[in-house]
Amino acid sequence: MFRTIVLGVALLGVAGAPLANAHITLENQQAPVGASYKAVLRVPHGCEGSATVAVRVRMPDGFIEVKPMPKPGWKLDVVRGKYQKPMSMRGTKVNEGVTQVDWSGGNLPDAYYDEFVLTGYISDEAQAGQTMYFPVVQECEKGVNRWIEIPAGDAAHTDDHGEPAAALKLLPKR
């Protein structure tokens, strides 16, 4: 009986571990190339008990024509710039657009969950079977979480050490 209780408590501890390491993810983690995509970034917690006050997301190469959704109580800033190479959207070449979106000035307590939303288009040049990564920096009243790590096998790898970036698996065109 005691052994069963100890085993149950140990398994409960292991089952609960991912919650402590939960990170910012995309609600829909697959999308077809050459189509519109609504990126819903899920923020499950703050920084070790501290409230989230800013969320900054860098757009991956090939995610173009980005439009963020404003959030009541948050300031929205959009950084525009040239793409690394021209992209196409339904046959039209696009050379520049939104490269980063910042929501700041809000207050998301650690005990609550929220979502940050933007839409865009997965360029015609994107490759099915590849993964797009959305690096996110989450700033809190005390501390920062960097959800920016991209696996070494991907061309967009970062040398910064952080937690896994939100990942989107690219599917074939419809």
Side-chain angles (χ1 to χ4, degrees):
M1 173 78 167
F2 176 74
R3 194 171 171 172
T4 304
I5 292 171
V6 170
L7 180 60
V9 169
L11 288 174
L12 189 59
V14 170
L19 293 176
N21 295 327
H23 56 278
I24 293 177
T25 58
L26 291 164
E27 180 179 61
N28 294 314
Q29 298 178 4
Q30 296 184 345
V33 169
S36 295
Y37 173 68
K38 180 180 174 183
V40 179
L41 294 157
R42 302 180 299 185
V43 180
H45 58 74
C47 307
E48 296 184 22
S50 180
T52 299
V53 295
V55 173
R56 206 168 51 242
V57 59
R58 188 175 38 130
M59 298 309 115
D61 290 338
F63 190 61
I64 60 176
E65 294 298 304
V66 174
K67 293 181 181 181
M69 180 183 289
K71 289 186 73 56
W74 294 76
K75 180 183 177 204
L76 178 61
D77 287 311
V78 175
V79 176
R80 295 183 59 84
K82 290 215 173 266
Y83 296 136
Q84 287 186 359
K85 60 183 180 180
M87 303 283 168
S88 60
M89 182 174 104
R90 297 179 191 97
T92 302
K93 288 290 183 191
V94 181
N95 295 313
E96 62 183 50
V98 174
T99 57
Q100 183 172 304
V101 174
D102 302 338
W103 289 271
S104 63
N107 189 294
L108 174 58
D110 182 60
Y112 296 99
Y113 159 93
D114 205 348
E115 298 174 336
F116 294 78
V117 181
L118 46 94
T119 64
Y121 182 84
I122 300 170
S123 74
D124 298 334
E125 292 80 10
Q127 298 293 310
Q130 298 293 315
T131 302
M132 269 188 184
Y133 294 93
F134 291 75
V136 177
V137 174
Q138 174 188 21
E139 295 179 22
C140 298
E141 289 174 334
K142 295 179 184 174
V144 175
N145 287 325
R146 299 180 194 288
W147 311 105
I148 59 172
E149 194 62 33
I150 297 169
D154 286 78
H157 178 69
T158 178
D159 291 329
D160 296 333
H161 293 288
E163 299 296 327
L168 176 66
K169 180 76 171 180
L170 300 180
L171 302 173
K173 289 182 181 183
R174 292 184 193 160

